[in-house]
Amino acid sequence: ASWWRPRRALPALAGLLLFAGAFLVVARTNAARGGPFLGQFSNVEELFETDTCKDFAHASLGKVVHNNVGNYGPDSGAEGIVYEGLFKKPGMPDQTITMVLNAITPFQSYQKANGMEGAYAMVGVKGNTSVRVKIRFFDKETSQQLAIPGMRFSIQDFDTHQTGNEVEYVKVWGWKSYVLTKNTNVKVSFEDSDTVKFTATLPGIWGDHAKDAYLLTSDQKNKVVDVLFQDASEFILEFGSFDIVNNGIRNHRHFFITPEPALLCAETQGEDTTGGILPYAKYQPTTTTTMTTATPYTAPTVAPTVAPTVAPTVAPTLMPTVAPTVTAPPIVTTSYNTATTTTKSGSSLRSCWCWFIILSFNWFFVKF
C-alpha cells in the first residue's frame, strides 16, 4: 500500500506514460518496416478503424457455444460444432446468427483438433483419411434456418506434410464460383458441374496458417480459396488428404474455414507477392474434351460394317462344292462305256462261235 504514496505515484505514472509512448513509436516504426509482430498490431489497429469488407455481405464467427463433432467432445450431447457470429450486409443492421457444422460421415480425429483457431472454424482429420461435413446457418433469435445471399466462404492453409505425403484437399458441392490469387499454390479440378476440388501443392508447417481473416501474408493468401455460394442456407464440404507414398506415418491435417471473403477483404502483411486476385472463376466443362476424345471411339463401331466384306471370302469355299458335281458325269460316262464295252465283247464272242460251227461243218462235209 505504501507504493501509492503521492511522492512515489507521480514518478511511477510518468514512467508508465513514457513506456506507452515509446511502445507506440516503436510500433509505428516497425509497421513501416513490415515487422512481423508490431506491424501486425498496427495493421489490426487500422482495420478496426475501417471495415475492409463493408461492401460485401458476409458473416463472421465469434465463439464456440457447443463442440462435439464426431462425438469427440469435449462437450456431450448433440453431434457437431455450434458457432455464434454475426451476419453483415451493406445498409442493414448486423444480425446474430449461429453456424452449425455436422460430420455426415465417420472420421478419425481427436478432441483438441476441432473447434476454433483465431477467426476460423477448425476441423482435424487423420492423414490419408477424409470426412464430409454439412454447414448450416440459423437465425439465433428465431432458430429458423437462414439463407445468406451471396455467401463467400474462405478455406485457408492448403498444404502437405513436409515429406510430401498427406496432400490436403477440400471438395465443395453447390458452389457458384471461386477466387484465387494469381500466384496461388492451390490446384483446381472438377468432378462435375456441381463439385470442385481444391488440392495443396506445397508442404507447410504447423503455425504458418492465418488466425486473422483480415490480415494475411502473401504466402498465406496463396494458400486460400474464396468460394461463392448463391443464397446458401447450407452446403457440404469434404476435408481429406492422401499419400503419395505409403510410408505408414499418419499425422493429423487441420482445415480452417470462415464465412468471410478473406481474399477480397484482407490486407496483405509485408511484401505482396500474390500477383493480385484472379476474377471469379466458374466451372469449365470438360465435356468438350470428352466429346473430342469420343470421336475416335466411334471408329470401332464402324468396324462391324467391314464384316460383310468377309462374306465374299465365304464364296470361294462354295466353289469346291461345285467340283464334285462336275465329276459326276465322268462317272456316269465311265459306267456307260463299260456297259457298252461289255456288250460289244458279248457280240464278238457269239460271232466267233458261229464261225467255228460253220467251219466245222464245212470241214466235216469236205472230209467225208
Side-chain angles (χ1 to χ4, degrees):
S2 61
W3 185 85
W4 289 102
R5 291 176 183 176
R7 63 180 183 179
R8 294 184 181 180
L10 187 59
L13 182 60
L16 288 174
L17 290 174
L18 288 173
F19 176 78
F23 180 81
L24 289 176
V25 170
V26 172
R28 295 294 184 181
T29 304
N30 192 269
R33 295 177 180 176
F37 300 108
L38 296 179
Q40 184 169 354
F41 170 82
S42 177
N43 288 336
V44 171
E45 182 184 14
E46 294 176 3
L47 289 175
F48 277 119
E49 297 174 0
T50 58
D51 184 2
T52 58
C53 217
K54 60 182 172 60
D55 296 328
F56 299 98
H58 66 283
S60 60
L61 303 180
K63 62 180 180 179
V64 175
V65 296
H66 177 78
N67 188 355
N68 191 29
V69 64
N71 294 311
Y72 283 103
D75 298 330
S76 58
E79 188 279 335
I81 307 178
V82 180
Y83 301 89
E84 186 177 291
L86 292 175
F87 171 60
K88 300 180 179 182
K89 186 177 182 180
M92 300 290 291
D94 294 349
Q95 181 179 2
T96 305
I97 63 169
T98 55
M99 186 183 88
V100 180
L101 184 152
N102 295 106
I104 57 177
T105 60
F107 74 110
Q108 301 179 58
S109 185
Y110 64 99
Q111 189 178 105
K112 294 183 178 180
N114 308 304
M116 197 165 179
E117 178 80 1
Y120 296 86
M122 178 179 69
V123 176
V125 185
K126 190 174 182 179
N128 207 35
T129 67
S130 64
V131 61
R132 288 189 183 183
V133 300
K134 178 184 286 188
I135 296 177
R136 294 173 293 165
F137 297 91
F138 295 87
D139 185 306
K140 185 183 177 183
E141 301 299 328
T142 64
S143 298
Q144 296 295 316
Q145 194 161 346
L146 182 66
I148 298 182
M151 164 64 69
R152 295 171 174 86
F153 214 86
S154 288
I155 310 169
Q156 69 131 329
D157 196 39
F158 284 89
D159 54 27
T160 75
H161 190 267
Q162 289 180 312
T163 61
N165 271 349
E166 298 177 5
V167 180
E168 293 178 356
Y169 71 86
V170 176
K171 288 183 183 179
V172 183
W173 284 267
W175 62 285
K176 182 180 179 182
S177 60
Y178 61 89
V179 175
L180 297 167
T181 65
K182 291 182 180 179
N183 296 328
T184 184
N185 297 322
V186 181
K187 177 183 176 182
V188 183
S189 58
F190 302 96
E191 294 192 355
D192 52 51
S193 61
D194 189 57
T195 311
V196 60
K197 181 179 180 181
F198 304 103
T199 307
T201 60
L202 294 178
I205 59 174
W206 175 256
D208 63 354
H209 57 281
K211 297 177 179 62
D212 193 320
Y214 293 153
L215 183 65
L216 286 78
T217 66
S218 292
D219 288 342
Q220 290 168 343
K221 282 190 172 183
N222 288 335
K223 296 191 293 183
V224 173
V225 178
D226 281 0
V227 181
L228 174 64
F229 297 91
Q230 186 65 39
D231 301 332
S233 60
E234 64 180 56
F235 52 88
I236 294 176
L237 305 176
E238 179 177 301
F239 304 129
S241 65
F242 57 89
D243 284 350
I244 302 297
V245 178
N246 187 3
N247 57 13
I249 300 174
R250 295 290 179 268
N251 299 282
H252 278 76
R253 310 308 303 174
H254 294 80
F255 299 87
F256 304 93
I257 58 176
T258 182
E260 301 177 78
L263 287 183
L264 297 179
C265 301
E267 297 287 342
T268 303
Q269 180 185 353
E271 183 183 0
D272 189 345
T273 59
T274 63
I277 306 299
L278 290 171
Y280 274 104
K282 297 183 179 181
Y283 171 62
Q284 300 296 329
T286 55
T287 52
T288 303
T289 55
T290 304
M291 292 299 291
T292 53
T293 55
T295 50
Y297 293 108
T298 58
T301 62
V302 181
T305 60
V306 183
T309 60
V310 180
T313 61
V314 181
T317 61
L318 299 177
M319 295 302 293
T321 60
V322 181
T325 59
V326 176
T327 57
I331 294 173
V332 175
T333 305
T334 304
S335 61
Y336 175 78
N337 291 339
T338 303
T340 306
T341 303
T342 304
T343 306
K344 288 182 179 180
S345 298
S347 59
S348 300
L349 185 58
R350 285 193 298 270
S351 300
C352 290
W353 276 107
C354 291
W355 282 107
F356 177 76
I357 294 171
I358 294 172
L359 290 174
S360 297
F361 274 105
N362 186 35
W363 178 82
F364 179 78
F365 285 111
V366 171
K367 189 71 177 174
F368 294 98

